[in-house]
Amino acid sequence: MKYIEEFYLFVKVVQEGGFSHAASALGMPTASISRRITHLEESLGYPLLHRSTRKIRLTDEGLRYYERLCTPLAQIERATGEIQGKEADLAGLIRLAAPIALSSTLLIDMVADFSLHHPEVQFDICQTNDHQRLFEGDRDLVFFNGELPQTLDHATLLGRVEYGLFASPLYLEKRGQPAHPHALEEHDLIYCWPHQHWQLNNREGGLAEVRTQAKLTVSQTQAAVRAATQHMGIINVPLHLVHQARQAGQLHPVLSDWKSTSRPFYMLVTQPNFSPLRVKLFAEFVEKYSERYRRDR
């Protein structure tokens, strides 16, 4: 087949999210790939890609062409690997975006676990609490917290993050353990994005709202946890972020019968129809890894 290499390059450019990413994955000069796809477009008589400085988009013809090429080329790749006694080639980069606290804990744990089984895969994580920035750029997967926007109704619910109140033993020794949320007015509180005030509930259906002036307000959850271990006050943070501090005896639960409403967290596959195999495998791995956060608590 005359243009089979160009077909392969075209599919790779789409799957990798751009010429430079495809060039890096294939070990080829970007200009060579661009030139050969341009030649393919000229031979076909219509453009396959809309090119811009930020990203590439498929034309209508390019989408139809990609959909027809993707499966047979993947089968050829798989068959070649079987003949050579190799598994499917997963080597390459997976580009992720996530809020800072989530990416510094749960996501890093998942990346590290996945990498044990697939060391040939590389990761690039954009960490930001700017919700708009999460969805900009050329990310393969985007992770985010909070309620699901209507425009992202195809995102996958991974689970819910549970929150709890904590303080250091020394702080509680000096100030005492509050018996009810209303008593928090007499305590030093540490607020952290996104909770600038606390809405607490208990199993009996009781509700309490805490709007006391904070002793300290921060934008990073890790900073709030560190401040609490330094005896500065009471925090309201995700349980997984204080696991080590609790094991070390640095933090103790406060008002353990009360908690904030859990927050859902999601994963969005930005190009579900064009994702390389490594992205699909990692997305499946994340879903399975997150099962613990979907169980009833």
Side-chain angles (χ1 to χ4, degrees), residues 44-64:
L44 294 171
Y46 50 78
L48 300 173
L49 301 167
H50 291 298
R51 296 163 171 83
S52 71
T53 56
R54 296 195 60 182
K55 60 174 62 177
I56 56 102
R57 291 185 299 108
L58 286 165
T59 63
D60 291 341
E61 294 82 2
L63 177 58
R64 289 196 295 270

Side-chain angles (χ1 to χ4, degrees), residues 69-244:
L69 288 174
C70 191
T71 299
L73 285 176
Q75 291 173 341
I76 291 172
E77 220 176 17
R78 192 176 303 113
T80 302
E82 290 173 356
I83 292 172
Q84 295 176 341
K86 300 176 181 177
E87 295 184 357
D89 184 14
L90 300 180
L93 183 67
I94 299 178
R95 298 173 292 274
L96 313 174
I100 294 172
L102 183 64
S103 59
S104 300
T105 51
L106 296 182
L107 186 54
I108 285 294
D109 290 344
M110 290 187 280
V111 165
D113 202 344
F114 184 84
S115 295
L116 290 176
H117 305 285
H118 303 288
E120 69 276 25
V121 176
Q122 297 92 44
F123 290 88
D124 179 330
I125 305 177
C126 172
Q127 298 177 282
T128 178
N129 287 337
D130 184 333
H131 201 269
Q132 183 174 343
R133 277 194 62 203
L134 281 175
F135 300 96
E136 293 178 345
D138 53 355
R139 302 289 103 180
D140 298 306
L141 300 171
V142 176
F143 299 83
F144 60 98
N145 301 316
E147 296 308 314
L148 181 64
Q150 290 185 350
T151 55
L152 300 175
D153 58 1
H154 55 298
T156 300
L157 174 64
L158 295 178
R160 304 189 70 88
V161 175
E162 301 287 344
Y163 282 70
L165 276 61
F166 300 91
S168 72
L170 181 58
Y171 174 88
L172 294 174
E173 181 181 336
K174 290 182 176 180
R175 302 292 296 275
Q177 175 79 253
H180 189 275
H182 294 155
L184 292 173
E185 296 179 1
E186 307 301 323
H187 281 266
D188 294 334
L189 305 184
I190 301 170
Y191 288 164
C192 179
W193 177 91
H195 299 292
Q196 299 305 307
H197 62 275
W198 301 344
Q199 290 182 319
L200 307 177
N201 58 80
N202 61 17
R203 293 180 180 177
E204 286 71 42
L207 299 173
E209 189 168 24
V210 181
R211 290 185 175 272
T212 304
Q213 180 69 38
K215 170 75 172 180
L216 173 67
T217 300
V218 298
S219 59
Q220 301 300 331
T221 313
Q222 293 90 332
V225 173
R226 184 168 180 82
T229 63
Q230 299 298 313
H231 327 301
M232 288 193 65
I234 298 174
I235 54 174
N236 179 19
V237 297
L239 300 184
H240 66 270
L241 289 179
V242 295
H243 179 69
Q244 291 184 346

